[in-house]
Amino acid sequence: MPELPEVEVVRLGLEPAVRGATVRAVDVRDIRSLRRHPGPAEEFVDRLVGAQIVAAVRRGKFLWLPLEHPAVTGDRADEALVAHLGMSGQLLLRAADAPDDRFTRIRLLVDHPDHGELAVHFADQRVFGAMALDQLLPTSDGAPGGAGSTDATVPSQVSHIARDPLDPAFSAREFFTRMARRDSGIKRVLLDQTLISGIGNIYADEALWAARLHFDQPASSISRRKAGELLAALRGVLEKALDEGGTSFDSQYVNVNGQAGYFAHSLNAYGRHGLTCPRCGTVMRREQFMNRGSHFCPRCQRLRRE
């Protein structure tokens, strides 16, 4: 599943092409991609056509486009087009007359004042992702809703998602406090999007390796100093992955132009089982974890019991 760096790369590519653009047409090719939308496809299209896109915003793994309806609400964004990429979703920028991509499920035609007409294809091979129109709500802390916006609003479908460690409004103190109350393994805590968002299997493994923590180390047993090291590792891994365009193992995790990221070449833990640890030379291991795998060094990342 795309994690924070992959979704942020998509947002950064999408933003200059859609900010200020007006939606001229919408074609829903697969109704399954509207599973998160509360109404029928016809209502989705009617509400979207004529709307002006204000920005491209991200929190964790969620991406949304705040919308203005000048004829109804003037210059106030009251709802947003929310996109969740699921396992294989993509948002691709295309010429207005370009043919569908192979797995295009929804197609938007937008008119930008500088760039003219463009098409945005929501392509999704496995159809686990979705788009929806959703009401914007005030953020609980009064800070901007996410990366790419100064508005203190967030879609209702995203309101339960915690801030990510790269968000200026992320509270390290709150994260440490809540982490200390959890007896479950630290990787399970990192994957809890209501506590800290944007982190999935890949970047959890990478950050835990960098902080020398075993994935099953009880969160409550980790000292504040070590928790600080982990947070610094998370930020470092996410920033490096973002600089390198995210992690792409196949054609699914790409930017809006269909280009793959190259952070896979910088991985120290994920996918390296059977290879030697870059730090100490011990053979890396993979153990079953929540229907997936955890990759770690048995020497650098020992499970420490109280």
Side-chain angles (χ1 to χ4, degrees), residues 178-216:
R178 295 182 64 187
M179 193 181 101
R181 296 172 182 162
R182 304 286 186 95
D183 293 327
S184 53
I186 183 58
K187 183 173 179 178
R188 191 178 295 270
V189 170
L190 294 180
L191 298 183
D192 182 352
Q193 303 297 298
T194 66
L195 177 64
I196 184 170
S197 69
I199 302 161
N201 208 37
I202 295 175
Y203 300 116
D205 280 359
E206 290 299 300
L208 290 170
W209 179 86
R212 298 173 182 255
L213 281 168
H214 190 279
F215 68 90
D216 209 25

PDB file of all heavy atoms in Angstrom, residues 178-216:
ATOM      1  N   ARG A 178       0.923   8.828  24.575  1.00  0.00           N
ATOM      2  CA  ARG A 178       0.013   7.757  24.158  1.00  0.00           C
ATOM      3  C   ARG A 178       0.769   6.466  23.893  1.00  0.00           C
ATOM      4  O   ARG A 178       0.257   5.370  24.168  1.00  0.00           O
ATOM      5  CB  ARG A 178      -0.772   8.196  22.923  1.00  0.00           C
ATOM      6  CG  ARG A 178      -1.719   9.373  23.174  1.00  0.00           C
ATOM      7  CD  ARG A 178      -2.502   9.736  21.943  1.00  0.00           C
ATOM      8  NE  ARG A 178      -3.386   8.651  21.522  1.00  0.00           N
ATOM      9  CZ  ARG A 178      -4.084   8.666  20.378  1.00  0.00           C
ATOM     10  NH1 ARG A 178      -3.971   9.700  19.548  1.00  0.00           N
ATOM     11  NH2 ARG A 178      -4.859   7.660  20.065  1.00  0.00           N
ATOM     12  N   MET A 179       1.981   6.575  23.361  1.00  0.00           N
ATOM     13  CA  MET A 179       2.795   5.398  23.108  1.00  0.00           C
ATOM     14  C   MET A 179       3.125   4.675  24.410  1.00  0.00           C
ATOM     15  O   MET A 179       3.106   3.438  24.482  1.00  0.00           O
ATOM     16  CB  MET A 179       4.083   5.816  22.390  1.00  0.00           C
ATOM     17  CG  MET A 179       4.877   4.673  21.797  1.00  0.00           C
ATOM     18  SD  MET A 179       6.382   5.277  21.005  1.00  0.00           S
ATOM     19  CE  MET A 179       7.573   4.880  22.266  1.00  0.00           C
ATOM     20  N   ALA A 180       3.412   5.448  25.453  1.00  0.00           N
ATOM     21  CA  ALA A 180       3.794   4.867  26.744  1.00  0.00           C
ATOM     22  C   ALA A 180       2.651   4.101  27.394  1.00  0.00           C
ATOM     23  O   ALA A 180       2.890   3.291  28.310  1.00  0.00           O
ATOM     24  CB  ALA A 180       4.281   5.972  27.676  1.00  0.00           C
ATOM     25  N   ARG A 181       1.433   4.324  26.933  1.00  0.00           N
ATOM     26  CA  ARG A 181       0.275   3.635  27.501  1.00  0.00           C
ATOM     27  C   ARG A 181      -0.047   2.339  26.767  1.00  0.00           C
ATOM     28  O   ARG A 181      -0.972   1.629  27.150  1.00  0.00           O
ATOM     29  CB  ARG A 181      -0.949   4.558  27.451  1.00  0.00           C
ATOM     30  CG  ARG A 181      -0.813   5.819  28.307  1.00  0.00           C
ATOM     31  CD  ARG A 181      -1.978   6.753  28.036  1.00  0.00           C
ATOM     32  NE  ARG A 181      -1.879   7.996  28.801  1.00  0.00           N
ATOM     33  CZ  ARG A 181      -2.556   9.104  28.509  1.00  0.00           C
ATOM     34  NH1 ARG A 181      -3.381   9.108  27.463  1.00  0.00           N
ATOM     35  NH2 ARG A 181      -2.407  10.191  29.250  1.00  0.00           N
ATOM     36  N   ARG A 182       0.684   2.053  25.704  1.00  0.00           N
ATOM     37  CA  ARG A 182       0.402   0.868  24.901  1.00  0.00           C
ATOM     38  C   ARG A 182       1.340  -0.277  25.281  1.00  0.00           C
ATOM     39  O   ARG A 182       2.557  -0.116  25.300  1.00  0.00           O
ATOM     40  CB  ARG A 182       0.579   1.187  23.414  1.00  0.00           C
ATOM     41  CG  ARG A 182      -0.265   2.364  22.903  1.00  0.00           C
ATOM     42  CD  ARG A 182      -1.723   1.992  22.781  1.00  0.00           C
ATOM     43  NE  ARG A 182      -2.490   3.060  22.174  1.00  0.00           N
ATOM     44  CZ  ARG A 182      -2.767   3.139  20.877  1.00  0.00           C
ATOM     45  NH1 ARG A 182      -2.348   2.206  20.052  1.00  0.00           N
ATOM     46  NH2 ARG A 182      -3.480   4.149  20.413  1.00  0.00           N
ATOM     47  N   ASP A 183       0.774  -1.425  25.544  1.00  0.00           N
ATOM     48  CA  ASP A 183       1.566  -2.608  25.856  1.00  0.00           C
ATOM     49  C   ASP A 183       1.839  -3.471  24.632  1.00  0.00           C
ATOM     50  O   ASP A 183       2.628  -4.410  24.700  1.00  0.00           O
ATOM     51  CB  ASP A 183       0.865  -3.465  26.923  1.00  0.00           C
ATOM     52  CG  ASP A 183       0.801  -2.767  28.273  1.00  0.00           C
ATOM     53  OD1 ASP A 183       1.738  -2.009  28.585  1.00  0.00           O
ATOM     54  OD2 ASP A 183      -0.185  -2.973  29.006  1.00  0.00           O
ATOM     55  N   SER A 184       1.203  -3.159  23.522  1.00  0.00           N
ATOM     56  CA  SER A 184       1.421  -3.928  22.297  1.00  0.00           C
ATOM     57  C   SER A 184       2.778  -3.588  21.696  1.00  0.00           C
ATOM     58  O   SER A 184       3.427  -2.603  22.064  1.00  0.00           O
ATOM     59  CB  SER A 184       0.297  -3.660  21.299  1.00  0.00           C
ATOM     60  OG  SER A 184       0.131  -2.275  21.092  1.00  0.00           O
ATOM     61  N   GLY A 185       3.214  -4.413  20.760  1.00  0.00           N
ATOM     62  CA  GLY A 185       4.508  -4.201  20.116  1.00  0.00           C
ATOM     63  C   GLY A 185       4.584  -2.866  19.407  1.00  0.00           C
ATOM     64  O   GLY A 185       3.587  -2.358  18.890  1.00  0.00           O
ATOM     65  N   ILE A 186       5.773  -2.300  19.341  1.00  0.00           N
ATOM     66  CA  ILE A 186       5.940  -0.950  18.821  1.00  0.00           C
ATOM     67  C   ILE A 186       5.564  -0.848  17.342  1.00  0.00           C
ATOM     68  O   ILE A 186       5.015   0.164  16.902  1.00  0.00           O
ATOM     69  CB  ILE A 186       7.394  -0.449  19.044  1.00  0.00           C
ATOM     70  CG1 ILE A 186       7.554   0.995  18.579  1.00  0.00           C
ATOM     71  CG2 ILE A 186       8.404  -1.367  18.385  1.00  0.00           C
ATOM     72  CD1 ILE A 186       6.620   1.982  19.264  1.00  0.00           C
ATOM     73  N   LYS A 187       5.786  -1.903  16.561  1.00  0.00           N
ATOM     74  CA  LYS A 187       5.400  -1.806  15.146  1.00  0.00           C
ATOM     75  C   LYS A 187       3.888  -1.731  15.012  1.00  0.00           C
ATOM     76  O   LYS A 187       3.367  -0.966  14.184  1.00  0.00           O
ATOM     77  CB  LYS A 187       5.950  -2.986  14.349  1.00  0.00           C
ATOM     78  CG  LYS A 187       5.617  -2.870  12.856  1.00  0.00           C
ATOM     79  CD  LYS A 187       6.292  -3.929  12.030  1.00  0.00           C
ATOM     80  CE  LYS A 187       5.922  -3.788  10.566  1.00  0.00           C
ATOM     81  NZ  LYS A 187       6.602  -4.783   9.706  1.00  0.00           N
ATOM     82  N   ARG A 188       3.176  -2.492  15.808  1.00  0.00           N
ATOM     83  CA  ARG A 188       1.711  -2.429  15.776  1.00  0.00           C
ATOM     84  C   ARG A 188       1.244  -1.013  16.113  1.00  0.00           C
ATOM     85  O   ARG A 188       0.284  -0.497  15.534  1.00  0.00           O
ATOM     86  CB  ARG A 188       1.123  -3.431  16.757  1.00  0.00           C
ATOM     87  CG  ARG A 188      -0.379  -3.641  16.633  1.00  0.00           C
ATOM     88  CD  ARG A 188      -0.841  -4.693  17.633  1.00  0.00           C
ATOM     89  NE  ARG A 188      -0.281  -5.989  17.353  1.00  0.00           N
ATOM     90  CZ  ARG A 188      -0.836  -6.900  16.561  1.00  0.00           C
ATOM     91  NH1 ARG A 188      -1.994  -6.625  15.976  1.00  0.00           N
ATOM     92  NH2 ARG A 188      -0.270  -8.076  16.376  1.00  0.00           N
ATOM     93  N   VAL A 189       1.928  -0.360  17.033  1.00  0.00           N
ATOM     94  CA  VAL A 189       1.596   1.012  17.416  1.00  0.00           C
ATOM     95  C   VAL A 189       1.857   1.970  16.249  1.00  0.00           C
ATOM     96  O   VAL A 189       1.049   2.847  15.956  1.00  0.00           O
ATOM     97  CB  VAL A 189       2.398   1.432  18.663  1.00  0.00           C
ATOM     98  CG1 VAL A 189       2.255   2.929  18.931  1.00  0.00           C
ATOM     99  CG2 VAL A 189       1.943   0.636  19.886  1.00  0.00           C
ATOM    100  N   LEU A 190       2.977   1.794  15.571  1.00  0.00           N
ATOM    101  CA  LEU A 190       3.320   2.675  14.457  1.00  0.00           C
ATOM    102  C   LEU A 190       2.338   2.545  13.287  1.00  0.00           C
ATOM    103  O   LEU A 190       2.147   3.494  12.521  1.00  0.00           O
ATOM    104  CB  LEU A 190       4.733   2.379  13.956  1.00  0.00           C
ATOM    105  CG  LEU A 190       5.883   2.686  14.918  1.00  0.00           C
ATOM    106  CD1 LEU A 190       7.214   2.334  14.266  1.00  0.00           C
ATOM    107  CD2 LEU A 190       5.874   4.142  15.348  1.00  0.00           C
ATOM    108  N   LEU A 191       1.724   1.381  13.159  1.00  0.00           N
ATOM    109  CA  LEU A 191       0.774   1.164  12.065  1.00  0.00           C
ATOM    110  C   LEU A 191      -0.634   1.633  12.413  1.00  0.00           C
ATOM    111  O   LEU A 191      -1.518   1.610  11.551  1.00  0.00           O
ATOM    112  CB  LEU A 191       0.736  -0.317  11.687  1.00  0.00           C
ATOM    113  CG  LEU A 191       2.045  -0.922  11.159  1.00  0.00           C
ATOM    114  CD1 LEU A 191       1.838  -2.369  10.752  1.00  0.00           C
ATOM    115  CD2 LEU A 191       2.594  -0.125   9.997  1.00  0.00           C
ATOM    116  N   ASP A 192      -0.846   2.069  13.649  1.00  0.00           N
ATOM    117  CA  ASP A 192      -2.145   2.580  14.083  1.00  0.00           C
ATOM    118  C   ASP A 192      -2.304   4.012  13.585  1.00  0.00           C
ATOM    119  O   ASP A 192      -1.721   4.949  14.145  1.00  0.00           O
ATOM    120  CB  ASP A 192      -2.255   2.515  15.606  1.00  0.00           C
ATOM    121  CG  ASP A 192      -3.603   2.978  16.131  1.00  0.00           C
ATOM    122  OD1 ASP A 192      -4.419   3.495  15.337  1.00  0.00           O
ATOM    123  OD2 ASP A 192      -3.847   2.847  17.347  1.00  0.00           O
ATOM    124  N   GLN A 193      -3.099   4.187  12.533  1.00  0.00           N
ATOM    125  CA  GLN A 193      -3.234   5.500  11.894  1.00  0.00           C
ATOM    126  C   GLN A 193      -3.985   6.520  12.758  1.00  0.00           C
ATOM    127  O   GLN A 193      -4.002   7.703  12.429  1.00  0.00           O
ATOM    128  CB  GLN A 193      -3.924   5.360  10.547  1.00  0.00           C
ATOM    129  CG  GLN A 193      -3.213   4.421   9.590  1.00  0.00           C
ATOM    130  CD  GLN A 193      -1.815   4.892   9.215  1.00  0.00           C
ATOM    131  OE1 GLN A 193      -1.644   5.952   8.621  1.00  0.00           O
ATOM    132  NE2 GLN A 193      -0.800   4.110   9.564  1.00  0.00           N
ATOM    133  N   THR A 194      -4.595   6.072  13.844  1.00  0.00           N
ATOM    134  CA  THR A 194      -5.247   7.013  14.757  1.00  0.00           C
ATOM    135  C   THR A 194      -4.262   7.568  15.785  1.00  0.00           C
ATOM    136  O   THR A 194      -4.598   8.482  16.527  1.00  0.00           O
ATOM    137  CB  THR A 194      -6.422   6.350  15.500  1.00  0.00           C
ATOM    138  OG1 THR A 194      -5.939   5.324  16.371  1.00  0.00           O
ATOM    139  CG2 THR A 194      -7.411   5.750  14.516  1.00  0.00           C
ATOM    140  N   LEU A 195      -3.054   7.009  15.822  1.00  0.00           N
ATOM    141  CA  LEU A 195      -2.018   7.487  16.734  1.00  0.00           C
ATOM    142  C   LEU A 195      -0.952   8.295  15.992  1.00  0.00           C
ATOM    143  O   LEU A 195      -0.537   9.364  16.432  1.00  0.00           O
ATOM    144  CB  LEU A 195      -1.374   6.305  17.463  1.00  0.00           C
ATOM    145  CG  LEU A 195      -0.219   6.641  18.403  1.00  0.00           C
ATOM    146  CD1 LEU A 195      -0.712   7.504  19.562  1.00  0.00           C
ATOM    147  CD2 LEU A 195       0.433   5.367  18.934  1.00  0.00           C
ATOM    148  N   ILE A 196      -0.516   7.763  14.878  1.00  0.00           N
ATOM    149  CA  ILE A 196       0.471   8.428  14.026  1.00  0.00           C
ATOM    150  C   ILE A 196       0.210   7.925  12.612  1.00  0.00           C
ATOM    151  O   ILE A 196       0.046   6.733  12.398  1.00  0.00           O
ATOM    152  CB  ILE A 196       1.917   8.126  14.494  1.00  0.00           C
ATOM    153  CG1 ILE A 196       2.941   8.891  13.660  1.00  0.00           C
ATOM    154  CG2 ILE A 196       2.194   6.635  14.503  1.00  0.00           C
ATOM    155  CD1 ILE A 196       4.369   8.808  14.232  1.00  0.00           C
ATOM    156  N   SER A 197       0.125   8.815  11.654  1.00  0.00           N
ATOM    157  CA  SER A 197      -0.328   8.403  10.323  1.00  0.00           C
ATOM    158  C   SER A 197       0.791   8.399   9.296  1.00  0.00           C
ATOM    159  O   SER A 197       1.872   8.943   9.512  1.00  0.00           O
ATOM    160  CB  SER A 197      -1.460   9.321   9.847  1.00  0.00           C
ATOM    161  OG  SER A 197      -0.969  10.624   9.591  1.00  0.00           O
ATOM    162  N   GLY A 198       0.487   7.760   8.160  1.00  0.00           N
ATOM    163  CA  GLY A 198       1.390   7.778   7.023  1.00  0.00           C
ATOM    164  C   GLY A 198       2.407   6.659   6.990  1.00  0.00           C
ATOM    165  O   GLY A 198       3.123   6.504   6.000  1.00  0.00           O
ATOM    166  N   ILE A 199       2.492   5.869   8.063  1.00  0.00           N
ATOM    167  CA  ILE A 199       3.518   4.840   8.166  1.00  0.00           C
ATOM    168  C   ILE A 199       2.900   3.473   7.913  1.00  0.00           C
ATOM    169  O   ILE A 199       1.887   3.120   8.514  1.00  0.00           O
ATOM    170  CB  ILE A 199       4.179   4.861   9.556  1.00  0.00           C
ATOM    171  CG1 ILE A 199       4.784   6.235   9.829  1.00  0.00           C
ATOM    172  CG2 ILE A 199       5.253   3.779   9.672  1.00  0.00           C
ATOM    173  CD1 ILE A 199       5.049   6.493  11.282  1.00  0.00           C
ATOM    174  N   GLY A 200       3.509   2.720   7.025  1.00  0.00           N
ATOM    175  CA  GLY A 200       3.085   1.356   6.746  1.00  0.00           C
ATOM    176  C   GLY A 200       4.225   0.395   7.001  1.00  0.00           C
ATOM    177  O   GLY A 200       5.192   0.701   7.715  1.00  0.00           O
ATOM    178  N   ASN A 201       4.137  -0.762   6.406  1.00  0.00           N
ATOM    179  CA  ASN A 201       5.087  -1.831   6.689  1.00  0.00           C
ATOM    180  C   ASN A 201       6.522  -1.458   6.328  1.00  0.00           C
ATOM    181  O   ASN A 201       7.458  -1.726   7.095  1.00  0.00           O
ATOM    182  CB  ASN A 201       4.667  -3.093   5.918  1.00  0.00           C
ATOM    183  CG  ASN A 201       5.111  -4.357   6.594  1.00  0.00           C
ATOM    184  OD1 ASN A 201       5.109  -4.464   7.815  1.00  0.00           O
ATOM    185  ND2 ASN A 201       5.509  -5.346   5.805  1.00  0.00           N
ATOM    186  N   ILE A 202       6.705  -0.833   5.176  1.00  0.00           N
ATOM    187  CA  ILE A 202       8.058  -0.533   4.705  1.00  0.00           C
ATOM    188  C   ILE A 202       8.771   0.429   5.645  1.00  0.00           C
ATOM    189  O   ILE A 202       9.875   0.156   6.142  1.00  0.00           O
ATOM    190  CB  ILE A 202       8.019   0.058   3.284  1.00  0.00           C
ATOM    191  CG1 ILE A 202       7.485  -0.974   2.286  1.00  0.00           C
ATOM    192  CG2 ILE A 202       9.411   0.532   2.863  1.00  0.00           C
ATOM    193  CD1 ILE A 202       7.293  -0.424   0.881  1.00  0.00           C
ATOM    194  N   TYR A 203       8.145   1.581   5.905  1.00  0.00           N
ATOM    195  CA  TYR A 203       8.834   2.618   6.664  1.00  0.00           C
ATOM    196  C   TYR A 203       8.873   2.324   8.159  1.00  0.00           C
ATOM    197  O   TYR A 203       9.750   2.819   8.864  1.00  0.00           O
ATOM    198  CB  TYR A 203       8.216   3.984   6.352  1.00  0.00           C
ATOM    199  CG  TYR A 203       8.348   4.300   4.877  1.00  0.00           C
ATOM    200  CD1 TYR A 203       7.229   4.439   4.064  1.00  0.00           C
ATOM    201  CD2 TYR A 203       9.601   4.384   4.276  1.00  0.00           C
ATOM    202  CE1 TYR A 203       7.352   4.675   2.707  1.00  0.00           C
ATOM    203  CE2 TYR A 203       9.736   4.606   2.922  1.00  0.00           C
ATOM    204  CZ  TYR A 203       8.610   4.756   2.139  1.00  0.00           C
ATOM    205  OH  TYR A 203       8.749   4.977   0.784  1.00  0.00           O
ATOM    206  N   ALA A 204       7.945   1.498   8.640  1.00  0.00           N
ATOM    207  CA  ALA A 204       8.051   1.038  10.030  1.00  0.00           C
ATOM    208  C   ALA A 204       9.295   0.176  10.188  1.00  0.00           C
ATOM    209  O   ALA A 204      10.082   0.367  11.126  1.00  0.00           O
ATOM    210  CB  ALA A 204       6.798   0.259  10.425  1.00  0.00           C
ATOM    211  N   ASP A 205       9.496  -0.772   9.277  1.00  0.00           N
ATOM    212  CA  ASP A 205      10.688  -1.618   9.345  1.00  0.00           C
ATOM    213  C   ASP A 205      11.962  -0.792   9.250  1.00  0.00           C
ATOM    214  O   ASP A 205      12.936  -1.036   9.979  1.00  0.00           O
ATOM    215  CB  ASP A 205      10.666  -2.649   8.216  1.00  0.00           C
ATOM    216  CG  ASP A 205       9.766  -3.839   8.513  1.00  0.00           C
ATOM    217  OD1 ASP A 205       9.172  -3.881   9.612  1.00  0.00           O
ATOM    218  OD2 ASP A 205       9.649  -4.733   7.646  1.00  0.00           O
ATOM    219  N   GLU A 206      11.973   0.187   8.346  1.00  0.00           N
ATOM    220  CA  GLU A 206      13.175   1.004   8.164  1.00  0.00           C
ATOM    221  C   GLU A 206      13.489   1.847   9.400  1.00  0.00           C
ATOM    222  O   GLU A 206      14.646   1.939   9.834  1.00  0.00           O
ATOM    223  CB  GLU A 206      13.008   1.901   6.940  1.00  0.00           C
ATOM    224  CG  GLU A 206      13.034   1.155   5.625  1.00  0.00           C
ATOM    225  CD  GLU A 206      14.345   0.421   5.400  1.00  0.00           C
ATOM    226  OE1 GLU A 206      15.397   1.080   5.366  1.00  0.00           O
ATOM    227  OE2 GLU A 206      14.314  -0.818   5.284  1.00  0.00           O
ATOM    228  N   ALA A 207      12.464   2.461   9.979  1.00  0.00           N
ATOM    229  CA  ALA A 207      12.684   3.308  11.158  1.00  0.00           C
ATOM    230  C   ALA A 207      13.083   2.477  12.371  1.00  0.00           C
ATOM    231  O   ALA A 207      13.945   2.892  13.163  1.00  0.00           O
ATOM    232  CB  ALA A 207      11.431   4.121  11.461  1.00  0.00           C
ATOM    233  N   LEU A 208      12.470   1.316  12.538  1.00  0.00           N
ATOM    234  CA  LEU A 208      12.820   0.459  13.672  1.00  0.00           C
ATOM    235  C   LEU A 208      14.254  -0.044  13.545  1.00  0.00           C
ATOM    236  O   LEU A 208      14.975  -0.155  14.550  1.00  0.00           O
ATOM    237  CB  LEU A 208      11.843  -0.714  13.771  1.00  0.00           C
ATOM    238  CG  LEU A 208      10.423  -0.326  14.204  1.00  0.00           C
ATOM    239  CD1 LEU A 208       9.468  -1.502  14.031  1.00  0.00           C
ATOM    240  CD2 LEU A 208      10.413   0.171  15.651  1.00  0.00           C
ATOM    241  N   TRP A 209      14.673  -0.345  12.327  1.00  0.00           N
ATOM    242  CA  TRP A 209      16.078  -0.728  12.126  1.00  0.00           C
ATOM    243  C   TRP A 209      17.005   0.423  12.494  1.00  0.00           C
ATOM    244  O   TRP A 209      18.003   0.232  13.197  1.00  0.00           O
ATOM    245  CB  TRP A 209      16.309  -1.142  10.664  1.00  0.00           C
ATOM    246  CG  TRP A 209      17.729  -1.532  10.385  1.00  0.00           C
ATOM    247  CD1 TRP A 209      18.303  -2.766  10.551  1.00  0.00           C
ATOM    248  CD2 TRP A 209      18.784  -0.671   9.919  1.00  0.00           C
ATOM    249  NE1 TRP A 209      19.631  -2.733  10.221  1.00  0.00           N
ATOM    250  CE2 TRP A 209      19.963  -1.453   9.830  1.00  0.00           C
ATOM    251  CE3 TRP A 209      18.844   0.677   9.583  1.00  0.00           C
ATOM    252  CZ2 TRP A 209      21.185  -0.923   9.406  1.00  0.00           C
ATOM    253  CZ3 TRP A 209      20.057   1.210   9.160  1.00  0.00           C
ATOM    254  CH2 TRP A 209      21.208   0.414   9.070  1.00  0.00           C
ATOM    255  N   ALA A 210      16.670   1.618  12.030  1.00  0.00           N
ATOM    256  CA  ALA A 210      17.512   2.785  12.308  1.00  0.00           C
ATOM    257  C   ALA A 210      17.596   3.074  13.800  1.00  0.00           C
ATOM    258  O   ALA A 210      18.646   3.494  14.315  1.00  0.00           O
ATOM    259  CB  ALA A 210      16.986   4.006  11.564  1.00  0.00           C
ATOM    260  N   ALA A 211      16.488   2.842  14.539  1.00  0.00           N
ATOM    261  CA  ALA A 211      16.457   3.107  15.979  1.00  0.00           C
ATOM    262  C   ALA A 211      16.887   1.899  16.804  1.00  0.00           C
ATOM    263  O   ALA A 211      16.879   1.964  18.037  1.00  0.00           O
ATOM    264  CB  ALA A 211      15.049   3.532  16.389  1.00  0.00           C
ATOM    265  N   ARG A 212      17.231   0.790  16.157  1.00  0.00           N
ATOM    266  CA  ARG A 212      17.670  -0.440  16.834  1.00  0.00           C
ATOM    267  C   ARG A 212      16.602  -0.983  17.774  1.00  0.00           C
ATOM    268  O   ARG A 212      16.884  -1.379  18.911  1.00  0.00           O
ATOM    269  CB  ARG A 212      18.980  -0.210  17.594  1.00  0.00           C
ATOM    270  CG  ARG A 212      20.156   0.192  16.711  1.00  0.00           C
ATOM    271  CD  ARG A 212      21.373   0.561  17.534  1.00  0.00           C
ATOM    272  NE  ARG A 212      22.486   0.989  16.725  1.00  0.00           N
ATOM    273  CZ  ARG A 212      23.585   0.271  16.454  1.00  0.00           C
ATOM    274  NH1 ARG A 212      23.696  -0.947  16.968  1.00  0.00           N
ATOM    275  NH2 ARG A 212      24.549   0.751  15.700  1.00  0.00           N
ATOM    276  N   LEU A 213      15.363  -1.019  17.299  1.00  0.00           N
ATOM    277  CA  LEU A 213      14.254  -1.526  18.098  1.00  0.00           C
ATOM    278  C   LEU A 213      13.642  -2.751  17.419  1.00  0.00           C
ATOM    279  O   LEU A 213      13.411  -2.742  16.207  1.00  0.00           O
ATOM    280  CB  LEU A 213      13.175  -0.458  18.263  1.00  0.00           C
ATOM    281  CG  LEU A 213      13.435   0.629  19.308  1.00  0.00           C
ATOM    282  CD1 LEU A 213      12.433   1.770  19.148  1.00  0.00           C
ATOM    283  CD2 LEU A 213      13.344   0.049  20.720  1.00  0.00           C
ATOM    284  N   HIS A 214      13.352  -3.772  18.207  1.00  0.00           N
ATOM    285  CA  HIS A 214      12.665  -4.949  17.710  1.00  0.00           C
ATOM    286  C   HIS A 214      11.202  -4.600  17.462  1.00  0.00           C
ATOM    287  O   HIS A 214      10.591  -3.851  18.224  1.00  0.00           O
ATOM    288  CB  HIS A 214      12.772  -6.094  18.732  1.00  0.00           C
ATOM    289  CG  HIS A 214      12.302  -7.417  18.227  1.00  0.00           C
ATOM    290  ND1 HIS A 214      10.970  -7.766  18.180  1.00  0.00           N
ATOM    291  CD2 HIS A 214      12.996  -8.491  17.753  1.00  0.00           C
ATOM    292  CE1 HIS A 214      10.849  -8.990  17.700  1.00  0.00           C
ATOM    293  NE2 HIS A 214      12.065  -9.460  17.429  1.00  0.00           N
ATOM    294  N   PHE A 215      10.632  -5.156  16.408  1.00  0.00           N
ATOM    295  CA  PHE A 215       9.253  -4.792  16.040  1.00  0.00           C
ATOM    296  C   PHE A 215       8.238  -5.176  17.105  1.00  0.00           C
ATOM    297  O   PHE A 215       7.180  -4.570  17.216  1.00  0.00           O
ATOM    298  CB  PHE A 215       8.867  -5.433  14.704  1.00  0.00           C
ATOM    299  CG  PHE A 215       8.737  -6.940  14.736  1.00  0.00           C
ATOM    300  CD1 PHE A 215       7.529  -7.547  15.041  1.00  0.00           C
ATOM    301  CD2 PHE A 215       9.834  -7.753  14.446  1.00  0.00           C
ATOM    302  CE1 PHE A 215       7.398  -8.927  15.070  1.00  0.00           C
ATOM    303  CE2 PHE A 215       9.711  -9.131  14.467  1.00  0.00           C
ATOM    304  CZ  PHE A 215       8.498  -9.728  14.784  1.00  0.00           C
ATOM    305  N   ASP A 216       8.554  -6.171  17.936  1.00  0.00           N
ATOM    306  CA  ASP A 216       7.607  -6.632  18.954  1.00  0.00           C
ATOM    307  C   ASP A 216       7.943  -6.100  20.349  1.00  0.00           C
ATOM    308  O   ASP A 216       7.344  -6.528  21.340  1.00  0.00           O
ATOM    309  CB  ASP A 216       7.575  -8.168  18.983  1.00  0.00           C
ATOM    310  CG  ASP A 216       6.219  -8.704  19.428  1.00  0.00           C
ATOM    311  OD1 ASP A 216       5.214  -7.984  19.258  1.00  0.00           O
ATOM    312  OD2 ASP A 216       6.174  -9.835  19.944  1.00  0.00           O
TER     313      ASP A 216
END
